[in-house]
Amino acid sequence: MALPNKVQIIEVGPRDGLQNESQILPVPLRVELIERLAKTGLKKIEAGSFVSPKWVPQMANTDQVLDALNASSVKTETGAQYAVLTPNLKGLEGAVQHKADEIAIFGAASESFTQKNINCSIKESLHRFEDIAASAQQLNLPMRGYVSTIIGCPYEGDIDPQVVADVAKTLYQMGCFEISLGDTIGVGTPIKFKRMLDAVLKEVPADKLAVHCHNTYGQALANIYASLEYGINKVDSAVAGLGGCPYAKGASGNIATEDVLFMLNGMNIETGVDLDEVVNIGNWICSELNRENQSKVGLARA
Ligand code: HMG
Ligand code: MG
């Protein structure tokens, strides 16, 4: 299949990135990060999570982050949309009260990971999500769906592509406008991605899919390229390659937004995002977090 002319980048650094940092960033810095990213042309940014602060203390005060973002002129100036993760109805309540533009429910194709991440079975998680979906539909609130561990699970090993397809289909039928396929621990390779996509594409059309690649084994760009060849034109990434999942041992950061942009720019695929500005933000946030930049492009241009 021909490669797409345009790709939408979903910036997940302020959520997926910061949720796994040992340092908890204060609210004003989280807001500054998100707004600087919005000004680069990134239109969809995950701003935080309404999850238990006991489970993920880094995402506490997402309510304050959203309030600050919504009160600022940057939102209207840039047209950026701010999304949050909502694992249950309590999370949805927070998202609605603090006016998130979009919510995301997050399931997985592995029983053990689901248990470790959200403390229930796959079946129970889908049941919870049905309640969220019904309310979101009534409220006209766009809902994204994640399927984690699409290739491998830190506790169960290889994952059957058919299970990924089944969970993706259920979330899609529940009303998710898009399903993000998460290679949570970055063990995918292009061939494994293609096998997984062969199964998923029978249930969900390519234009309703995104890929979310952690770069643990350095395979993310190759896997994204393989996905583009399958007609997928939405890619999740995190500035400076921040990220990981606290409930997936060995999950390192997401592929860096800078690196995805460099690859797409080099193929004349339009994103509407200013690479140089993202590089500056990546270097700045790494100095704030006192951590190394995981973006090859960020390092090359430092
Ligand atoms: P639980 O302990 O089973 O929940 O956790 P519970 O209903 O029994 O509640 C326990 C406590 O949590 C109670 O407080 C609740 O009020 C509170 P207490 O009475 O003990 O003081 N609570 C909440 N607080 C705030 N917001 C909420 C909320 N819900 C309950 N929404 C729960 C279940 C889902 C809450 C928990 O397991 C949790 O928060 N997990 C966090 C999971 C998470 O954020 N993981 C990382 C994101 S997923 C990811 O990174 C993968 C992804 O990037 C894709 C990929 O890479 O593959 C998306
Ligand atoms: Mg992730």
Side-chain angles (χ1 to χ4, degrees):
M1 186 182 271
L3 293 172
N5 300 323
K6 280 187 190 175
V7 163
Q8 182 186 35
I9 306 273
I10 294 95
E11 171 60 48
V12 298
R15 191 279 303 171
D16 200 334
L18 298 185
Q19 78 180 10
N20 211 37
E21 290 295 325
S22 49
Q23 190 188 332
I24 300 182
L25 278 196
V27 167
L29 214 50
R30 284 162 70 185
V31 173
E32 186 180 350
L33 172 63
I34 294 165
E35 294 199 322
R36 285 186 67 170
L37 289 166
K39 288 178 188 167
T40 68
L42 287 157
K43 297 276 180 233
K44 287 233 179 166
I45 304 177
E46 278 190 352
S49 303
F50 283 101
V51 297
S52 163
K54 286 184 193 142
W55 284 63
V56 188
Q58 293 90 336
M59 290 293 104
N61 305 323
T62 288
D63 51 350
Q64 294 174 26
V65 172
L66 275 184
D67 288 349
L69 292 171
N70 285 326
S72 154
S73 59
V74 174
K75 183 165 165 52
T76 35
E77 282 160 20
T78 60
Q81 301 275 293
Y82 301 127
V84 290
L85 261 53
T86 55
N88 52 21
L89 284 174
K90 189 176 166 78
L92 176 71
E93 222 172 88
V96 172
Q97 208 176 335
H98 297 278
K99 299 189 169 50
D101 296 307
E102 190 179 303
I103 59 162
I105 50 179
F106 48 107
S110 142
E111 278 300 345
S112 329
F113 177 77
T114 308
Q115 204 71 51
K116 294 250 198 255
N117 195 38
I118 50 174
N119 205 21
C120 62
S121 66
I122 294 178
K123 198 170 162 205
E124 283 163 348
S125 74
L126 296 174
H127 187 64
R128 274 184 206 174
F129 296 155
E130 267 168 20
D131 293 341
I132 299 178
S135 300
Q137 203 161 20
Q138 266 188 344
L139 295 159
N140 224 3
L141 183 60
M143 181 177 71
R144 196 173 197 235
Y146 272 105
V147 185
S148 281
T149 59
I150 53 162
I151 306 287
C153 165
Y155 314 104
E156 291 180 13
D158 289 348
I159 294 294
D160 180 354
Q162 193 50 52
V163 179
V164 182
D166 291 344
V167 177
K169 177 185 174 185
T170 309
L171 296 181
Y172 186 54
Q173 288 181 340
M174 236 179 244
C176 290
F177 69 89
E178 181 177 301
I179 307 296
S180 178
L181 299 167
D183 184 9
T184 317
I185 53 169
V187 289
T189 56
I191 290 295
K192 288 186 178 178
F193 255 68
K194 286 184 171 180
R195 271 191 217 128
M196 178 276 300
L197 286 172
D198 281 333
V200 173
L201 284 166
K202 290 196 181 99
E203 309 296 351
V204 184
D207 66 343
K208 304 292 181 201
L209 291 172
V211 285
H212 175 109
C213 300
H214 286 264
N215 200 28
T216 322
Y217 291 86
Q219 303 295 301
L221 282 181
N223 297 334
I224 291 169
Y225 185 79
S227 306
L228 298 179
E229 284 190 320
Y230 266 47
I232 288 167
N233 62 3
K234 296 181 194 71
V235 177
D236 296 1
S237 61
V239 61
L242 302 176
C245 177
Y247 299 103
K249 204 168 150 262
S252 74
N254 285 92
I255 183 64
T257 304
E258 299 90 310
D259 298 4
V260 176
L261 286 171
F262 187 87
M263 180 176 84
L264 297 175
N265 288 351
M267 296 192 290
N268 290 325
I269 295 177
E270 201 184 313
T271 61
V273 184
D274 182 339
L275 169 61
D276 290 338
E277 267 314 302
V278 182
V279 167
N280 291 339
I281 298 166
N283 286 320
W284 162 74
I285 195 64
C286 286
S287 69
E288 291 290 342
L289 288 163
N290 200 17
R291 56 120 68 205
E292 267 184 39
N293 195 333
Q294 299 301 305
S295 163
K296 288 281 187 195
V297 176
L299 290 172
R301 298 225 179 147

